[in-house]
Amino acid sequence: SLVMPSDGGHRAPDTRNTVCWMDNLVMEGGKSEKITFRAPRTGGDYIILVRGMSDQGGILSVAAHFTVE
């Protein structure tokens, strides 16, 4: 899971376009994995994009949408 440091009381907008990057996530075929991250403070519609590579070298890609109000 992703742990974000405290913002120290600053109230600047969170303008990152990548809020979670996991370059070493290994998943077992046929099983689900829970991925936890802190949602952006800026309201709007966001896309979760998970990309990877299978053991055989095939490219995998899944997308989902969520809204922050």
Side-chain angles (χ1 to χ4, degrees):
S1 65
L2 177 68
V3 177
M4 297 293 295
S6 169
D7 66 3
H10 299 276
R11 302 224 178 250
D14 184 352
T15 58
R16 297 172 294 155
N17 60 10
T18 301
V19 296
C20 178
W21 181 272
M22 296 180 170
D23 61 348
N24 60 352
L25 179 65
V26 178
M27 297 179 70
E28 192 172 327
K31 294 194 175 183
S32 63
E33 183 77 26
K34 182 178 180 179
I35 300 172
T36 305
F37 61 95
R38 182 176 288 179
R41 291 184 187 160
T42 307
D45 295 322
Y46 291 87
I47 299 170
I48 297 172
L49 180 59
V50 179
R51 290 184 174 163
M53 192 174 275
S54 72
D55 290 338
Q56 295 77 29
I59 296 175
L60 309 170
S61 182
V62 175
H65 299 253
F66 71 98
T67 300
V68 174
E69 295 181 359

